[in-house]
Amino acid sequence: MAGAGHEDAAVVFDPLRPKLMRVAYRMLGSVADAEDIIQEAFIRWMGADRAAVREPEAFLRRTVTRLCLDQLKSARRQRETYVGPWLPDPVVEEEEEEDVTLPLMLALERLSPLERAAFLLHDVFGLAFEEVATTIQRDPAACRQLAARARAHVREERPRFRIEKQRGLELARAFFTASRSGDMKGLGAMLAADVSVHSDGGGKRPAAMQPIVGFDAVMKLHEYLAALFRKDGSKLVRAGFVNGLPGFVTLEADGELQTTALEIEDGKVAAIYVVRNPDKLRHLH
């Protein structure tokens, strides 16, 4: 009977899994944590009186959101002790994700858990405030205020310059080629004056402990890296969209993967986001 109950629960749950994963990942910024949340939600779904649930998707979204809110409390404590800059786990896709790009995910980190939930559920996933209120157990007026505060904080992080898909991938490949070959002139032509580099090694692999800001500083960094690449190599695994930004996955000399995402503004690379922490790259193997 237990096996039959599992199969019965899975028939409804499995088609909803991708949507629930999108909610959990955008709430937490961690693929592994989001997967754990989805598994816990399925366990709760198996134990629920499913016959009494009129809207399984709404029920499961509420379950996932509330589990994420609990998880965020401990995640914030972990971030306070994180070594170097923190970046969300990279999700690499063939198509551009338009709803929540990497800069927006970083902006969401500055919100309270409830602000984050209200903003994502209403502004990103399109739920009415009445449903948001039921989900996060606040009244609709409070949810409107939470979303408004969140919107004010993240407004500047919405993409202001849409880039055509093929052009974005071309820039990513050109950036890889110039940065690995030591073509500093070609690389410099791609960079904005106030370009910045944010690298997340998590204390597990070498990475800058603070963002590197400004054209000259970023060029100096890449001159140093190009010398290392000439000696040890860096292999392009694939180009794609990393958390909604043009970028690529590489296999580095130490045998580990790395992702690079490029924030493009007005045709120039405005920010470079590099994830090197192996814990955040396991799902890409």
Side-chain angles (χ1 to χ4, degrees):
M1 290 299 292
H6 182 284
E7 292 176 7
D8 178 56
V11 166
V12 174
F13 189 92
D14 285 348
L16 297 173
R17 187 181 292 270
K19 288 184 178 180
L20 298 173
M21 186 66 185
R22 282 167 61 83
V23 173
Y25 171 71
R26 281 156 176 73
M27 284 285 291
L28 301 175
S30 165
V31 171
D33 288 348
E35 288 173 342
D36 288 345
I37 292 291
I38 299 306
Q39 185 60 30
E40 177 62 25
F42 181 64
I43 291 170
R44 296 193 180 195
W45 176 240
M46 283 198 298
D49 180 5
R50 296 190 296 279
V53 177
R54 287 184 297 175
E55 297 182 35
E57 182 174 347
F59 175 89
L60 288 166
R61 186 171 50 236
R62 285 196 293 271
T63 301
V64 165
T65 302
R66 290 170 186 172
L67 288 169
C68 287
L69 289 171
D70 291 339
Q71 174 69 19
L72 281 172
K73 295 171 187 174
S74 60
R76 291 203 160 213
R77 287 195 293 273
Q78 294 168 11
R79 304 274 163 80
E80 289 171 3
T81 59
Y82 195 80
V83 178
W86 179 93
L87 295 175
D89 290 8
V91 173
V92 183
E93 297 170 304
E94 296 301 318
E95 297 295 331
E96 180 181 10
E97 279 289 338
E98 297 187 2
D99 58 358
V100 181
T101 60
L102 197 156
L104 182 54
M105 288 192 74
L106 290 175
L108 293 177
E109 284 293 305
R110 301 194 291 268
L111 304 178
S112 73
L114 286 174
E115 287 172 340
R116 186 170 184 155
F119 175 82
L120 285 170
L121 292 173
H122 181 266
D123 286 42
V124 174
F125 296 111
L127 300 188
F129 278 118
E130 289 70 19
E131 173 65 15
V132 176
T134 303
T135 301
I136 66 174
Q137 299 173 304
R138 296 292 189 277
D139 63 58
C143 292
R144 285 189 179 87
Q145 289 182 333
L146 287 165
R149 284 203 301 268
R151 211 173 292 124
H153 282 297
V154 305
R155 186 176 291 121
E156 289 304 309
E157 304 304 332
R158 286 288 200 181
R160 286 167 287 173
F161 303 93
R162 305 304 310 175
I163 184 166
E164 192 268 327
K165 173 187 172 181
Q166 265 324 110
R167 178 58 181 153
L169 294 177
E170 287 170 7
L171 279 170
R173 291 190 180 95
F175 183 94
F176 169 83
T177 300
S179 62
R180 269 54 179 182
S181 68
D183 178 8
M184 292 299 107
K185 183 177 180 181
L187 183 67
M190 299 181 207
L191 303 182
D194 59 350
V195 62
S196 58
V197 176
H198 310 258
S199 54
D200 179 341
K204 309 279 179 81
R205 294 170 75 197
M209 294 297 290
Q210 298 290 337
I212 297 169
V213 181
F215 181 89
D216 292 341
V218 171
M219 286 295 291
K220 185 176 180 179
L221 169 67
H222 278 92
E223 286 173 6
Y224 167 77
L225 292 175
L228 296 182
F229 294 139
R230 280 194 295 270
K231 179 182 175 183
D232 296 320
S234 173
K235 181 182 177 182
L236 179 66
V237 175
R238 65 175 168 134
F241 289 90
V242 181
N243 297 106
L245 300 181
F248 47 84
V249 182
T250 51
L251 180 65
E252 299 302 318
D254 60 2
E256 296 282 1
L257 293 178
Q258 172 177 304
T259 61
T260 301
L262 306 176
E263 185 178 355
I264 311 295
E265 291 189 359
D266 203 19
K268 297 282 189 178
V269 177
I272 304 160
Y273 301 96
V274 180
V275 175
R276 291 175 53 78
N277 184 344
D279 295 343
K280 297 187 174 188
L281 299 161
R282 288 175 184 156
H283 63 283
L284 297 181
H285 285 273

